[in-house]
Amino acid sequence: MTKIDSHGLVLRRSRMRTLLGVATISLAAAAGMLLPHALHAAPVQETAPLSADGYIPLSWDTARGKLLLQVPAFDTDVLYYVSAATGGGSVELPFDRGIMESAVIRFQRAGNRVLVVETNTTYRATGGSAATAQGVADSFPTSVLPSLPIQSSAGGKVTVDATALFMRDAANIEGTLRRTNQGGFKLDPARSTFYAPRIKAFPENSEVETIVTFAADTPGALVRNVAPEPRALTLRIHHSFLKPPTGYVPRAADPRIGVSELRFRDYSRPFSERTDVSWITRWRLEKKDPAAAISDPVKPIRVYFDPAIPTPIRTAMKQGLLWWNKSFEAAGFSNAIEAIDAPADMDPVDIRYAYILWINRDERGFSSGGTYRDPRTGEILGAKVRMDTHRIRTIGNYWDAYQAGLPGGGAGVTVADPGLLTEGAFAGMPAGQRDMVLLR
């Protein structure tokens, strides 16, 4: 699967780069209907499956401990994302909450089974004949993730036991732990299961969450530092299926733009040209009034802020994000970005939402953006931005280095908007230190 880490923007210490990381966020599909109730683990005597109807209908069979999935269509693209719903806690291990893997998959029927096939988006033909495209597809491998047994074909609707799709190391956590010398961890199926409250389906996306445990006899120091029982590392891993969007027009990348890129090889290009192609990754903003010099967008970039972010830090972050509306006005858009406090019951890893996560680690680390993009086109569909809590503490500690040469409490050296402050917040801090934290 395609690694996403390289596409996140690392937020440096300067305010502008911090704001840039925050600004590269968007809401995936805002529309969708909620289930009438959340799916909870059923009592022991319950035998009827709990169902979630939507883009990909799901059924959690509590009696057998299996998840059933109704195939939406065969041989058709489905966007598939794997995220960490809970974090690894270590600044040196890449297991923070947020996006970990992305892919384009297809369901292919093979007798009494259904293959989940990851397509190869690195080598393709964007033009030419159907024979050209097929020739390229046949020249490079695909990857079968699992092979799922068919449970029912009633009414022409194929339902499979999809347990094997989710009860696997979907984010290659075993490989990461080996590469970082943390031990020979292996997925333990006996200590892994589904997390029923986050098995949901909506018209444009379906969501599945699992509890997975990795076991090793001799765990490394990084795992020993964060896990209560280092021989058992347990995380919640989230799987998202998104209906592919249509109508987006890719834009060729240019190194002078300075944004992340989607890169692939296009074998339909003329023989006089290189096969290397780069498209920029960007949000889709379309004017409500195409004839107007400045217009509101059809769908604004809605950014939700983690309730765990304390005030007035959250207030300052929201104001910093909204500064970017000035830049969008120069591009012809008004009210392009909205900054919203996330409801307490919002699922942070639901792919429909652009969400700023308040990340705690065992030591100081970087903040970063993690975008959900369409691997076929580069369209950014959403993001889970990671804001490191130690970064704020570090900024506050700058004061220790600066205060010796400042008069009194340092008031006036840096001045934050008084409207950011809530009564009693940071009451014990010198004015200069408080303003430095809010501004940075």
Side-chain angles (χ1 to χ4, degrees):
M1 303 177 83
T2 304
K3 287 290 183 184
I4 275 296
D5 296 355
S6 62
H7 305 295
L9 294 178
V10 177
L11 306 187
R12 306 296 182 185
R13 292 179 178 176
S14 70
R15 178 178 64 195
M16 288 305 295
R17 291 190 181 179
T18 298
L19 294 177
L20 178 59
V22 173
T24 55
I25 318 164
S26 179
L27 182 61
M33 62 180 185
L34 297 176
L35 291 176
H37 56 83
L39 299 179
H40 297 282
V44 174
Q45 69 271 19
E46 179 65 69
T47 58
L50 299 177
S51 298
D53 194 16
Y55 170 48
I56 296 181
L58 304 166
S59 182
W60 166 230
D61 190 335
T62 58
R64 297 190 297 161
K66 296 182 179 297
L67 188 74
L68 306 182
L69 177 153
Q70 186 182 111
V71 178
F74 288 108
D75 304 308
T76 301
D77 288 349
V78 175
L79 304 189
Y80 173 53
Y81 304 92
V82 178
S83 307
T86 59
S90 171
V91 72
E92 296 186 60
L93 291 175
F95 299 146
D96 289 329
R97 289 179 292 160
I99 182 68
M100 301 179 81
E101 306 277 357
S102 70
V104 178
I105 62 172
R106 291 187 172 192
F107 295 99
Q108 294 181 0
R109 185 161 187 169
N112 63 351
R113 305 186 72 85
V114 171
L115 306 180
V116 181
V117 180
E118 180 178 347
T119 64
N120 195 328
T121 58
T122 304
Y123 305 95
R124 56 175 99 169
T126 62
S129 66
T132 298
Q134 189 62 51
V136 175
D138 291 344
S139 297
F140 297 94
T142 58
S143 298
V144 174
L145 304 182
S147 173
L148 308 176
I150 294 176
Q151 303 292 296
S152 170
S153 299
K157 297 180 179 179
V158 176
T159 299
V160 298
D161 176 3
T163 305
L165 175 59
F166 306 106
M167 287 297 129
R168 64 187 181 95
D169 185 12
N172 194 27
I173 291 172
E174 294 176 2
T176 301
L177 290 169
R178 282 195 303 271
R179 287 194 302 273
T180 53
N181 298 316
Q182 295 308 299
F185 280 86
K186 292 290 184 181
L187 178 67
D188 184 357
R191 286 183 278 181
S192 302
T193 187
F194 290 93
Y195 186 64
R198 288 188 177 169
I199 299 175
K200 305 175 182 180
F202 306 93
E204 302 292 326
N205 64 299
S206 294
E207 310 287 326
V208 175
E209 194 158 301
T210 60
I211 301 171
V212 291
T213 299
F214 298 87
D217 292 331
T218 55
L222 299 179
V223 175
R224 294 198 305 270
N225 192 46
V226 294
E229 166 49 85
R231 293 171 297 177
L233 179 65
T234 302
L235 301 169
R236 292 212 316 266
I237 300 298
H238 195 90
H239 304 252
S240 299
F241 303 88
L242 181 65
K243 182 184 294 185
T246 59
Y248 175 84
V249 179
R251 181 181 298 172
D254 187 304
R256 294 170 294 182
I257 297 177
V259 298
S260 60
E261 301 174 2
L262 173 72
R263 298 175 181 175
F264 61 94
R265 304 281 292 275
D266 185 356
Y267 287 87
S268 66
R269 293 170 67 89
F271 292 113
S272 58
E273 298 180 9
R274 293 172 56 87
T275 58
D276 301 279
V277 173
S278 295
W279 291 340
I280 65 170
T281 59
R282 62 185 175 97
W283 312 107
R284 187 192 311 202
L285 281 179
E286 300 170 327
K287 289 184 177 181
K288 281 186 177 179
D289 182 359
I294 297 181
S295 169
D296 282 358
V298 173
K299 182 188 294 184
I301 302 171
R302 293 190 176 95
V303 181
Y304 292 89
F305 285 76
D306 194 333
I309 304 172
T311 56
I313 297 297
R314 180 159 17 109
T315 306
M317 289 170 63
K318 289 165 64 178
Q319 283 199 3
L321 174 63
L322 293 175
W323 285 347
W324 281 90
N325 274 330
K326 292 293 184 183
S327 296
F328 281 104
E329 287 175 7
F333 291 95
S334 52
N335 303 309
I337 299 177
E338 297 177 1
I340 306 169
D341 289 329
D345 60 349
M346 177 178 282
D347 182 353
V349 289
D350 187 326
I351 198 170
R352 295 175 299 164
Y353 306 120
Y355 203 96
I356 296 185
L357 297 159
W358 193 235
I359 299 294
N360 297 283
R361 303 184 181 102
D362 58 347
E363 297 179 18
R364 179 176 64 89
F366 287 106
S367 297
S368 63
T371 58
Y372 292 82
R373 66 183 190 180
D374 186 337
R376 307 167 308 163
T377 65
E379 179 183 4
I380 296 178
L381 305 170
K384 308 301 175 186
V385 170
R386 306 171 180 102
M387 298 300 291
D388 181 78
T389 63
H390 274 285
R391 180 60 52 184
I392 302 298
R393 298 181 189 278
T394 298
I395 294 168
N397 290 339
Y398 290 165
W399 185 254
D400 295 335
Y402 297 159
Q403 66 175 334
L406 300 176
V413 176
T414 56
V415 181
D417 181 356
L420 295 174
L421 295 174
T422 53
E423 186 174 356
F426 297 165
M429 295 174 66
Q433 183 183 34
R434 177 201 66 203
D435 288 351
M436 184 181 296
V437 168
L438 294 176
L439 285 169
R440 292 297 293 268

